[in-house]
C-alpha cells in the first residue's frame, strides 16, 4: 500500500504508541481525538497489522454471540465506526452469520487504506512507519524516553502504549511479561491469493470438490501432508477476483520471537502455496489457469509475549463473565484453544453474555506510564485467544488510548488505583459500551 511521506518526528509528545495493528491505530486515533499530541510509530510498512500484512479477511469480535440472528455490537466507538465505514464504501460486507457469530468480511488491501486515511485525518497525530525502536530509557516505575533507529535524540512522552505482538517496548523497559506457549500450541496461519480460476470453482460445490481432491491426493502421497490443512475461504469480495486460501501450517520448534524461525516458516509456507497451485492447475476442473498471485508479507503468529498488568484476564473470567468496576469495553468473541493443533471451544458457545475487559488489564503492574493493547495485554494464554481478534483489539486499543491520555494528564503520570473506576466510566461513555 502506498502512503505519503511521514511527518517529521518531534522530540516530545503527550502519548507515544508503538505498533500499527488495529489496537495501535485505534489507540493513536483515540488519543489524538482527545486532544493529546500523539506519535504512532512502527517498523511495519503499512497500518493495519495482520489483516493488512497476512491477508486476514474477516473482522471478528465486533458483535456479541447471539442465537436470534440479530447482530448486536459488542462495543460502540471506533470498532463500530470502522465496520460501518467498510460497509458504506463497499470494501466490507454487512455482518454475516457464521454459526452463532456475526463476522464482517473485507478486502485486506482496502482495510489498510482505510486505516491510513483515518490516521491522516487527525491533526494531533504523527505517523512514522518503517521506524524501529532501538532502546528505552526507563526507571523501575516510569519510562522516560524512547530511542528510534536513525534518530540521534531520544523522543519523550508522558505516557507510552505498547500494542506490538512482541511487547517490545515493555520488554526493553524491563517490565514483567509472561511466556510464549504459542511456540508449541498455536497454529501459524498463512493466507494467500489465487487468480485465474473459474467463478464456480470456489462456490460451495467447488470447495467440496477441492476438499475431495485434496484428501485423495494426500492419501496417495501426492502432496506434502501439511497441505491437508488448506481451505478456500468462504467469502470473496466482489471487487477482488482473487480467492483466499488459508493454510494453517503445523510444525514443531516454531518461535514467534526467533527471526530464523519466522523466515523458515515463511519459506516453507510459500513453497506449499506454490505446490498447491500446481496441483490445482493439473487436477481440478476450473483451476486450469489459476496462479498464486499474492503471498503475505509475514506469517500470522498469533501471540508471543503478554505484559503483566494490574489484573490478568483468565479463562475463568470468560466462563463466568464477572462485573468489573473498572470495565472499559467488552470481548464478544469466544475463547478458543488449539492443543495438538486442533481448535476446540472451551466454553458453551450458546452463552451470549460478553466478557468485560477491565482497565487494570491495560496498565503495567510495575511501570505507571506504560499501557498496553492488542495481543500483549495482561491475560492468560487461553484468554488471549478471545482478546486478539480485530474487533476486540479495536475496542481495547481505543480504551487504552483514552487511558493513556488520562495518564499523560495526571500529575504522577499514572492512573491511581483508587481512580481506576472513575477513569473507566469516562472511557465507557466514549465507547458507548453500556457496561
Amino acid at each position: 500500500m502506498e502512503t505519503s511521506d511521514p511527518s517529521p518526528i518531534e522530540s516530545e509528545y503527550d502519548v507515544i504508541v508503538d505498533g500499527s495493528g488495529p489496537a495501535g491505530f485505534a489507540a493513536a486515533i483515540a488519543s489524538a481525538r482527545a486532544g493529546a499530541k500523539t506519535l504512532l510509530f512502527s517498523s511495519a510498512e503499512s497500518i493495519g497489522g495482520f489483516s493488512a500484512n497476512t491477508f486476514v479477511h474477516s473482522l471478528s469480535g465486533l458483535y456479541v454471540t447471539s442465537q436470534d440472528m440479530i447482530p448486536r455490537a459488542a462495543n460502540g466507538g471506533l470498532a463500530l465506526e470502522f465496520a460501518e465505514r467498510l460497509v458504506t464504501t463497499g470494501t466490507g460486507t454487512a455482518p454475516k452469520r457464521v454459526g452463532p457469530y456475526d463476522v464482517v468480511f473485507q478486502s485486506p488491501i482496502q482495510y489498510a487504506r482505510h486505516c491510513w486515511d483515518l490516521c491522516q485525518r487527525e491533526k494531533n497525530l504523527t505517523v512514522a512507519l518503517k521506524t524501529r525502536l532501538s532502546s528505552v530509557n526507563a526507571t523501575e516505575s516510569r519510562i522516560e524516553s524512547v530511542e528510534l533507529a536513525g534518530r540521534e535524540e531520544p523522543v519523550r512522552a508522558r505516557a507510552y502504549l505498547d500494542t506490538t505482538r512482541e511487547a517490545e517496548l515493555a520488554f526493553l523497559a524491563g517490565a514483567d511479561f509472561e511466556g510464549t506457549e504459542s511456540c508449541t500450541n498455536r497454529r501459524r496461519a498463512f493466507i494467500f491469493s489465487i487468480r485465474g480460476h473459474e467463478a464456480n470453482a470456489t462456490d460451495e460445490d467447488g470447495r467440496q470438490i477441492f476438499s475431495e481432491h485434496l484428501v485423495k491426493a494426500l492419501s496417495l502421497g501426492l502432496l506434502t501432508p501439511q497441505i491437508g490443512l488448506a481451505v478456500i475461504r468462504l467469502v470473496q469480495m466482489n471487487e477482488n477476483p482473487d480467492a483466499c486460501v488459508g493454510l494453517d501450517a503445523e510444525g514443531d520448534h516454531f518461535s514467534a520471537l526467533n527471526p530464523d524461525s519466522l523466515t523458515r516458516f515463511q519459506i516453507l509456507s510459500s513453497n506449499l502455496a506454490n505446490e498447491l497451485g500446481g496441483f490445482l492447475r493439473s487436477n481440478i476442473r476450473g483451476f486450469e489457469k489459476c496462479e498464486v498471485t499474492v503471498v503475505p508479507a509475514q506469517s500470522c503468529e498469533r501471540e508471543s509475549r503478554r505484559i503483566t498488568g494490574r489484573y490478568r484476564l483468565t479463562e475463568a473470567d470468560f466462563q463466568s463473565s464477572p462485573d468489573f468496576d473498572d470495565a472499559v469495553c467488552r470481548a464478544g468473541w469466544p475463547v478458543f484453544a488449539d492443543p495438538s493443533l486442533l481448535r476446540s471451544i472451551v466454553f458453551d458457545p450458546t452463552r451470549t453474555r460478553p466478557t468485560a475487559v477491565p482497565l487494570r488489564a491495560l496498565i503495567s503492574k510495575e511501570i505507571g506510564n506504560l499501557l498496553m493493547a492488542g495481543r500483549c495485554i495482561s491475560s492468560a494464554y487461553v484468554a488471549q485467544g478471545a482478546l486478539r481478534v480485530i474487533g476486540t483489539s479495536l475496542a481495547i486499543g481505543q480504551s487504552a488510548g483514552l487511558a493513556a491520555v488520562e495518564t499523560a494528564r495526571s500529575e504522577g503520570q499514572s492512573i491511581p488505583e483508587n481512580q481506576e473506576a472513575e477513569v473507566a466510566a469516562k472511557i465507557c461513555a466514549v465507547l458507548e459500551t453500556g457496561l
Side-chain angles (χ1 to χ4, degrees):
M1 184 192 71
E2 293 183 0
T3 59
S4 57
D5 292 335
S7 303
I9 298 175
E10 299 181 19
S11 58
E12 290 192 15
Y13 291 88
D14 297 317
V15 175
I16 290 179
V17 180
D18 182 5
S20 61
F25 94 82
I29 289 175
S31 173
R33 287 182 180 179
K37 184 180 178 182
T38 306
L39 169 66
L40 167 65
F41 77 89
S42 173
S43 59
E45 296 185 359
S46 63
I47 299 177
F50 278 167
S51 186
N53 297 324
T54 68
F55 304 133
V56 175
H57 67 292
S58 58
L59 271 64
S60 307
L62 291 167
Y63 304 92
V64 299
T65 303
S66 68
Q67 301 300 312
D68 57 9
M69 309 294 287
I70 300 175
R72 293 181 175 84
N75 301 283
L78 274 170
L80 194 57
E81 174 189 337
F82 192 75
E84 291 176 345
R85 179 185 175 93
L86 290 175
V87 174
T88 56
T89 57
T91 53
T93 67
K96 290 185 176 292
R97 177 61 53 136
V98 181
Y101 316 116
D102 293 294
V103 178
V104 170
F105 293 90
Q106 45 78 34
S107 164
I109 294 176
Q110 295 299 328
Y111 166 92
R113 288 174 179 161
H114 285 305
C115 294
W116 176 257
D117 290 343
L118 284 172
C119 287
Q120 290 300 102
R121 294 182 179 189
E122 302 301 326
K123 64 179 182 179
N124 294 322
L125 176 59
T126 298
V127 177
L129 299 176
K130 295 184 283 188
T131 301
R132 184 173 56 84
L133 178 64
S134 296
S135 62
V136 177
N137 303 310
T139 65
E140 291 184 357
S141 61
R142 179 182 303 175
I143 296 177
E144 301 292 347
S145 64
V146 295
E147 297 189 17
L148 306 177
R151 180 183 171 86
E152 295 182 1
E153 298 295 326
V155 185
R156 298 181 177 276
R158 290 185 60 81
Y160 298 81
L161 218 166
D162 193 336
T163 70
T164 64
R165 181 192 70 249
E166 310 89 346
E168 63 175 12
L169 196 155
F171 176 75
L172 292 175
D176 280 345
F177 62 89
E178 59 180 296
T180 56
E181 297 95 332
S182 60
C183 296
T184 55
N185 287 349
R186 287 207 189 277
R187 298 179 296 178
R188 273 64 64 190
F190 188 87
I191 303 171
F192 58 96
S193 296
I194 57 174
R195 176 174 291 191
H197 56 280
E198 296 179 6
N200 61 359
T202 55
D203 62 16
E204 186 173 353
D205 290 338
R207 291 194 300 274
Q208 179 66 32
I209 294 172
F210 168 87
S211 298
E212 292 173 354
H213 276 78
L214 220 60
V215 170
K216 182 177 180 180
L218 288 165
S219 66
L220 295 174
L222 301 178
L223 287 173
T224 303
Q226 287 167 308
I227 290 180
L229 294 172
V231 294
I232 295 180
R233 300 300 181 181
L234 299 180
V235 174
Q236 125 184 18
M237 302 303 299
N238 293 332
E239 77 279 2
N240 180 11
D242 293 8
C244 292
V245 179
L247 183 63
D248 280 350
E250 60 179 329
D252 297 331
H253 313 299
F254 174 87
S255 172
L257 298 174
N258 185 328
D260 290 339
S261 180
L262 295 174
T263 300
R264 286 196 301 272
F265 177 80
Q266 189 79 4
I267 294 172
L268 167 65
S269 299
S270 296
N271 289 339
L272 291 175
N274 287 320
E275 180 183 348
L276 179 60
F279 173 79
L280 294 175
R281 287 190 295 273
S282 302
N283 295 276
I284 304 181
R285 181 179 299 176
F287 288 97
E288 294 89 351
K289 297 180 180 180
C290 81
E291 59 180 340
V292 176
T293 54
V294 183
V295 295
Q298 65 181 107
S299 59
C300 185
E301 317 88 46
R302 292 181 169 94
E303 70 147 327
S304 55
R305 302 186 182 105
R306 303 181 301 282
I307 304 167
T308 303
R310 296 181 183 177
Y311 184 87
R312 179 177 181 265
L313 279 163
T314 66
E315 176 186 344
D317 291 323
F318 281 84
Q319 292 173 330
S320 61
S321 299
D323 294 319
F324 294 111
D325 291 338
D326 63 331
V328 290
C329 61
R330 303 189 295 183
W333 195 246
V335 170
F336 289 104
D338 35 89
S340 302
L341 306 175
L342 297 176
R343 180 171 293 177
S344 59
I345 300 174
V346 299
F347 79 104
D348 183 358
T350 63
R351 294 176 67 251
T352 58
R353 183 178 180 183
T355 300
V357 178
L359 175 62
R360 288 166 292 159
L362 313 184
I363 304 174
S364 168
K365 183 178 181 179
E366 304 165 303
I367 301 177
N369 66 340
L370 171 62
L371 298 96
M372 49 273 196
R375 298 167 186 266
C376 65
I377 76 166
S378 183
S379 65
Y381 163 68
V382 173
Q384 194 262 3
L387 298 167
R388 62 179 173 78
V389 295
I390 294 174
T392 305
S393 289
L394 287 167
I396 292 177
Q398 183 175 12
S399 301
L402 294 171
V405 174
E406 293 290 332
T407 300
R409 291 173 179 170
S410 65
E411 184 176 350
Q413 291 180 244
S414 179
I415 297 174
E417 293 184 6
N418 62 1
Q419 295 181 19
E420 290 166 347
E422 178 183 346
V423 171
K426 293 181 182 179
I427 294 172
C428 281
V430 177
L431 270 70
E432 299 176 346
T433 57
L435 288 164

